Each structure stands twice: as structure tokens, then as C-alpha cells.
Amino acid sequence: MQESKQLTPLMRQYNDIKSKNTDLIVFFRLGDFYEMFDSDAREASRILGIALTQRGGVPMCGVPYHAAANYISKIIKEGRKVGICEQVGTGEGKSKLFERKIVRVITPGTVIEDNMLQSNVSNYLVCVFTDKKGWGAAAIDVSTGEFWVTEQADDISLNGLSCMLAALNPAEILLDKITLDRVKSSMMIPGSVATTIVPREESSQIPSNWPSQSVWAGKKTALTCALTAIKYINVNEPGFKDLLIPFYKEISDYLALDENAVRTLELVSQNGARKGSLWHLLDFTVTPMGGRTLKNWILNPLLNLADIEKRQNCVSNFYDNPLAYEELKVILADISDIERIMSRVGTGNAGPRDLAGLARSLAVHGALKNWFDKYGAVVPYLKENILSKITVIEDLANLLNSAIEPNPPIKISDGGIIKQGFNAELDDLRNTKNNSSKTLAELCEREKAKTGISTLKVGFNSVFGYYIEVSKGQSGKVPFSYTRKQTLTNAERFITEELKEIEDKILHAEEKILRLETSLFDSVRKHLAEHIGVMRSFAKAIAELDVYSNLAHCAKVYKFTKPVIDESNILKAADLRHPVVEACLPLGSFVPNDIDLGGETQISVITGPNMGGKSVYLKQAAVLVILAQMGSFVPAASAHVGIVDKIMTRIGAQDAIAMGQSTFMVEMKETSHILASCTPKSLILLDEVGRGTSTFDGISIAWAITEFLYKPHGGGAKVLFATHYFELTDLENKYKGIKNFHAEVQEYKDADGQSKIAFLYKIKEGAGDKSYGIHVGELAGLPATVIVRAKKVIKDLEAKKGTSVSKKEDDIVGDLFSSPIVEEIKLVNTDAVTPMQALQMILEWKKRINS
Ligand SMILES: Nc1ncnc2c1ncn2[C@@H]1O[C@H](COP(=O)(O)OP(=O)(O)OP(=O)(O)O)[C@@H](O)[C@H]1O
């Protein structure tokens, strides 16, 4: 920043405002532009891709005022907040400087404008506070009015919080310093999410429209979160007061998916994009509410059997009634984003096009009623729910239909929003205005005849009002009674007394029309706001209808079947597929596989070549559970799913350099989290755990982890463990519930006699013994010299050791385990020690003997 004495008054004003709002990118209004300065300018020019210039040595950049919304939306998508600083004074006084102040703060979690939101994605502001043993949270989507709180009093490791944040993917998080330190250390909040440190609002004053005191008993942290979040929202968007009413949600009612599971299973995004995710594949919804609900269901599968069956039955009914689906789709296609429009209605921000959209949406009431008369049995509980509101919907539809033009302009100030016939006074004024236009046309003809100027015309502009225009060539014929107003290159403009009078009449009528239209629009908007509760619940029911019919459609398109669901520990499916991978491959080329866990087999150790299909096999098991528990059909010939409480995954390599953690450290942290929090009802996917370190350490860790997870007689979590450590296949001989599988390949010789492999993608019982890593390297295009050399090296190594490299290591460990000379080893339970630990103990022991 420049020395303050060198600064212009304007820059001093800017610095003063900026110093009080350091966390905001300040959009500083100068004429028709919002300007940004200094560090804000540098950041904004990077985010927005606009030129950075200099003024008096200060970096600056700017965006046109009328196009600001698009730029603001890009900035808040980066997790930053924007302060809109407007001119509020008159610019009078000694300095002649306009007074300016921040009139609105736009934050990622409090936006309501459509062009700043993704239509099918909820936009959550989450407030979280930890306490001694657990945590509480409030989640609010101000754009739809969704608001719930939850609390877990006994979750010291914050596992539940991590799952909740993964499912919500918040746009903005409010927390205090203590909470931030705790969640930061467990890597729960991605760096791109806006976080704001706020003090806890610990008032005992519960707003009168919130659930009563009794609901909050024992939920002190949740209440604090709710009050803090509301306070924050009210500062930024005061219009929301009274519109947000929380309900208590027990998050332990939902299957827990932690951040790793959500990311690695690519449930809602693949490398940050929706395309390629399960959500994208399943989404045929026709309403924005339906799209959001589908995503919500994927990320929050249910645990309660009755609730799952209720959803499953609705999907099943639609599946059996394709006509019900087809007819419903046509009706739903006319429905706009009722939830978000109603939020704007409630806060007074709805524009003409919002109400026109609402009018179209509510006009479906008749068709919807007929649909329920015909197909009500398909979704019995929604029939009652929707029909009980249909009279209110019909009334509001009639009001909107009679009041609002179907294709109004964007802004109220452009006029032409209220329909003819809705208000007699408005119709009168419009007549006056229209007749005046006729009068203007008559005046034009009269003046032409009087002056003999054939090119004479009457026009209007916002600076001079109405004028008579005469081309330069004929200006000599203009009578003295004309007063010159403007000279153009080819024409002259004049006014006359008569024209002035007509202008007065017209402008007067126009002003009155605009004022009246605005007030009529406001009264319609206010009337709608009185029914916000009914409309939100109507929108919710529409969203469910959309998702049920959508899931039935998916079942048809992707050939899903209805799974058996119960409280058992079984996870069994015949010809199971991964729907997303299948959709990417040529038709019919995906190879289905069976799975059978939770009965005789608790842990499957899956070996086989690179690229053999092991990871896909693991992931499809998780997708099976998620689909089944969200109420959908599943991609298998048949399936039996005992309700799973958590899906935990350790898949793929990822490091967190920013947090000072190596790939292997992250891998170990994630694994220890799994071991600490899995239950007998969990499903665990481990893909090559232990490979980020030396072979010995890796095998030892993988071995010990598997033993840790093993609980005889089906009492442990169901585990699928894909590995290249052939040594782990020995576990099958030691433990009854551990079984080996392998991904099958076929070796063959090509025309040149070179040995090649074909991947069959069939997961078969028994152990696979080769990794074919060099073949895969060849397929991936490693230089031929590298491949030839690698083949030579492996031959030499195998010749030296007599067998495969890691197999030999395992023999050494095995020999040492059973070594008769190691008396001390007998004192410990060898089942509880990893081979690596055993090896180290023996070396220690030897050292001691030798010394
Ligand atoms: N069942 C299947 N049917 C058809 N193609 C499959 C199947 N499973 C996997 N594939 C194809 O093989 C590719 C590799 O599969 P996957 O990632 O599961 O291999 P992997 O055995 O885990 O390999 P690595 O050990 O190298 O991680 C997939 O991207 C997919 O194109």
C-alpha cells in the first residue's frame, strides 16, 4: 500500500473501507464500473482472467457494473467473499467525494441469485462447533430454505462430522478457532471451501417460530450452531429472518460415507466434474429439485429397513407402470425451481421472470390431479401429501395466471409485467398512454401536411424526451414556432408547445403505470410469501416424485433388478456390474461378477494382474450397497443386501503436501481411521494398502491389517482387499473366513511368438500369482528399451532368488517365524505380530546373543 499522505482522497476512502473488511474482495463502485485495488485486484484478475492495470502505482482491475453478477459468481465459486461497495452520498461538501459503504456481502453460502448457483446442487452454509467429546452442526441452504441441525455428543474422533461434511460438500463453513484446529488436523475441509471464524452465539433466546425448547434438550451445541448461522445470515441477507426454521436430523440414521469413499467411488464427481460420476449416470430428473434430491439420496443412503422398503416400493410401482412415468415426465417438465423461487419471493428478491416461472409451474395442478386420480397407487403417501395442497396451489396458480405476463422482462422497471384485465386503474392508464401514441402519430401527419416536410417524424430519447426530427436538407422549411433542441449530422430536432403537452400526458401516464405495476407485483409477491411453507413442501413432494420415477427409468435403461434387503450381514449378488464403467465400455463388453460376503467369507483377498479389474470389482460392491440403501434397483441379475452402516475405502494414492503429509502417511492415516471406526456391519474396500513403502514393511502392514479386521464366525466387517502382495494369500490357510480370489487373464503368443496377455475381468476363486506389471507398462507405451531391460532384470532377480521376488521374502519371514532357536519369540502370540515385527525381534535377539 502507498504512504497515506501520497494518496488521493478516493484511495484513502478505499483503504479505510478495505481495512475494515480484510476478508472480502471489495467491489468499489466508480461510475459504471466496480474497481478492485491492490491485493484484491491481483486476486480478481487471476480468478476472472481480466487485465491488471496500474493507477498511481496501485494495481487495479475493474468490471462493468451491469455485468457484475457473472464476475461475482466466479469469485465466490473460488470460495471467496465479495463486498459490494456503493456510492451512498450526494458527493457534496468540501471533498466533493461520494460517501461509499459496503451495502451487501455476498458469500458462497448465502447467495440466492440463480446465476450464481448450480441448479441441481444444494448450496450449504454449515456451522460447526466441537465440544469436549463430540460436535454439533447446523446446515442451511438459504437458496431453498432447507435448514437442519444435528449433534453427536460422543464422537471424539469426529468420524460422523467427516462423513457429514463429505455428503454436504458445503459452500461455506462457519466455525471457531478451536473447532478449526481440530478439523484441520483431520483434513476434513478442502482448501477451496470458504471458512469464516465466528464467535459462538450462546443465547438462550430461541426464535419464536423455531421448534420449542424441548426439542433442544441435550442439543446445546446444535442450538448454538443454529443461532450462530442465523446471526451470520442476517448480517449478510437480513431478508431471511423468519424464513428459516430448523428441524433436528439424526445423521446416524444414514449410511456413513466418508470423504474418501465419496471421492474414490466417484459418487457425484469424477476429478471434480459431474460427468463420469454415478449421479451423472443416474440423473434423468426433469426438475432442479429432483436433481438435487437425487444427489442427496446418493450421498445419504438410509439405514432403516422400513424407510428403504417404502422408497423401493415406489420405484417398483413406477417400474411396473411405464405409462405413469411417461405421463408424469411431461407434467414435471413444466415445473421450475419452486424452492429457490420461493426463497427469493420470501426475501423480496423475486423478479418478474421468477413469478412467470412459478405461474407455469403451478399451472400443472390440474394435470397433476388427473395423474394422481389415475396413478395414485404408485406413490400412495405422496398422493395424500400433494392433493391436500392442491386447492392452495390452484388458487395461487389462478392469481399468477391472471396477474403476470407469461414472458415478462427481467426487471420490474422495464414495465409490461402485469396482465391486461388484472387491475382497472392500470388498464385506464395504459389506454391513455396508447391513445397518446395515436395522438402523436396524428400530430406527425398534421405537421407534415402543414410544413410540407415529407421526412418529418416524431421520435423519443431518454435525454430530450419527444422531438420532431427533420432532415438537414429540409430544415429550411421549419416554421418559427419550432424550438431547436439538437443538431445531428444529417438532421435537426425540435419541439413545439403542442408536442410538449402531449409528452407531459404520456410521461405522466408512464410514470403512474410503472408505479402501479411495481406495487401490484409486490402485492402478488407478498401474497405468495404467505404460502411459503405449503409451497416448499409441495416442491419437496414434486422432487420425490421426480426421483422415484427417475430411478425406475434407470432400472429399465440400465437393466437393474430389485434387491432383497434385510437386517442380515449378507452381501451377495449374481452377475454384478459397475454401472458407470459399463456405460463407458462398448455395449456388452463389461464382464459381470458374483460377490458373496458376510456368510462363509468375511474377507476376500483379491490378487491378479494390473489392469485385471480388481478395483472395479471392489467399487461395484460399494455401489451395490449405496443403490440398494437409497431405495434404487441394482445392476445385478439378483442381489441380497444386509443393511451396511458404513462404507470405508482406502483406494488410490493421494498425498497432502500442503498439510505436510506424504502419500504413505496419508494412506496409513486413512487405514488407521478405518480400523478405529469400522463395525461388524461395515463394508471396507482396501485397494493395495501398504504399497507406498518397502516390500517388507508393506506386506507386514497389509498382513497385520487383515488379521486385525478378521473376526471369526462372520462377526467382522465385510472386507474386499485387492493386493499385489501374493504373500497375503497365505491368510486363507490360516483363517476360515478369509478367501482368495483372482482376476483372470489369458496368456498367449502373438504372431511373432511374443508372449502376450488378455484381460478376462472374471473374478475367480483361488490366488493369482503374477502381476504382469511389465506387460501393462508395455501396453502403456514405455519405451521398448525399458521393457526389454525390465524383462532381463526380473529374470536375473528370479534366477538369483529361485522364485518370484516377494515370494522369496515371504519364505524368509515364514522360516524365521517357525525358527526353533528363537525361544523368546514363543513368549509372544505370533498371531498378533506381523511378520516384519517378528523379523525385527529376531534380528534384535541375534544381535544380543552375538554381543
Ligand atoms: N468387469 C469388467 N469388464 C470389462 N472391463 C473391465 C472390468 N473391470 C475392469 N475393466 C476395465 O479394466 C480397467 C482396469 O480395471 P481396474 O482398475 O479395476 O484394474 P486393477 O486390477 O485394479 O488394476 P491395478 O492393479 O493396476 O490397479 C478398467 O478401467 C476397465 O476399463
Side-chain angles (χ1 to χ4, degrees), residues 510-686:
E510 268 178 4
E511 240 175 73
K512 272 192 167 170
I513 288 171
L514 193 59
R515 232 178 298 134
L516 188 55
E517 276 209 272
T518 310
S519 123
L520 290 169
F521 183 82
D522 259 2
S523 66
V524 172
R525 190 160 62 182
K526 280 193 185 123
H527 183 77
L528 288 168
E530 283 165 23
H531 299 278
I532 207 159
V534 174
M535 295 281 274
R536 277 182 179 162
S537 121
F538 176 66
K540 206 162 165 279
I542 293 290
E544 282 187 38
L545 266 183
D546 199 1
V547 177
Y548 287 136
S549 53
N550 174 80
L551 290 177
H553 181 67
C554 288
K556 284 257 149 79
V557 174
Y558 301 126
K559 302 197 166 40
F560 289 1
T561 56
K562 185 173 173 179
V564 173
I565 304 197
D566 58 22
E567 310 264 13
S568 72
N569 207 23
I570 297 295
L571 182 59
K572 191 170 175 180
D575 284 344
L576 179 63
R577 294 163 283 136
H578 191 301
V580 180
V581 178
E582 183 181 32
C584 296
L585 295 175
L587 195 67
S589 58
F590 188 91
V591 179
N593 278 298
D594 298 344
I595 185 169
D596 190 356
L597 284 178
E600 280 178 13
T601 309
Q602 184 215 331
I603 299 178
S604 293
V605 174
I606 305 149
T607 45
N610 291 104
M611 286 288 288
K614 302 183 294 299
S615 304
V616 169
Y617 181 70
L618 261 59
K619 289 177 184 174
Q620 71 194 27
V623 171
L624 163 68
V625 171
I626 289 166
L627 286 171
Q629 290 184 216
M630 67 182 261
S632 167
F633 285 16
V634 297
S638 65
H640 179 173
V641 177
I643 290 172
V644 166
D645 67 351
K646 296 178 186 181
I647 294 178
M648 312 182 90
T649 65
R650 164 81 278 286
I651 297 176
Q654 208 211 5
D655 52 22
I657 302 164
M659 297 187 166
Q661 297 183 351
S662 71
T663 309
F664 186 64
M665 184 63 179
V666 172
E667 181 180 327
M668 288 299 100
K669 273 200 155 184
E670 288 174 5
T671 310
S672 69
H673 165 69
I674 293 175
L675 300 189
S677 47
C678 68
T679 78
K681 294 226 123 229
S682 307
L683 171 65
I684 300 175
L685 309 182
L686 302 173

Side-chain angles (χ1 to χ4, degrees), residues 20-87:
K20 291 181 195 129
N21 295 282
T22 48
D23 60 331
L24 307 179
I25 292 191
V26 175
F27 271 46
F28 193 73
R29 182 73 179 271
L30 285 179
D32 282 343
F33 275 76
Y34 284 118
E35 302 288 0
M36 285 147 275
F37 299 101
D38 247 332
S39 55
D40 281 1
R42 279 198 206 95
E43 191 174 357
S45 83
R46 179 184 57 77
I47 297 173
L48 304 174
I50 55 174
L52 192 66
T53 57
Q54 296 259 336
R55 182 196 256 190
V58 181
M60 66 178 284
C61 64
V63 299
Y65 144 81
H66 62 85
N70 285 339
Y71 293 105
I72 294 171
S73 129
K74 280 190 191 162
I75 291 179
I76 63 167
K77 272 186 196 134
E78 291 274 311
R80 298 288 274 118
K81 300 179 213 166
V82 171
I84 305 293
C85 180
E86 294 287 359
Q87 297 168 179

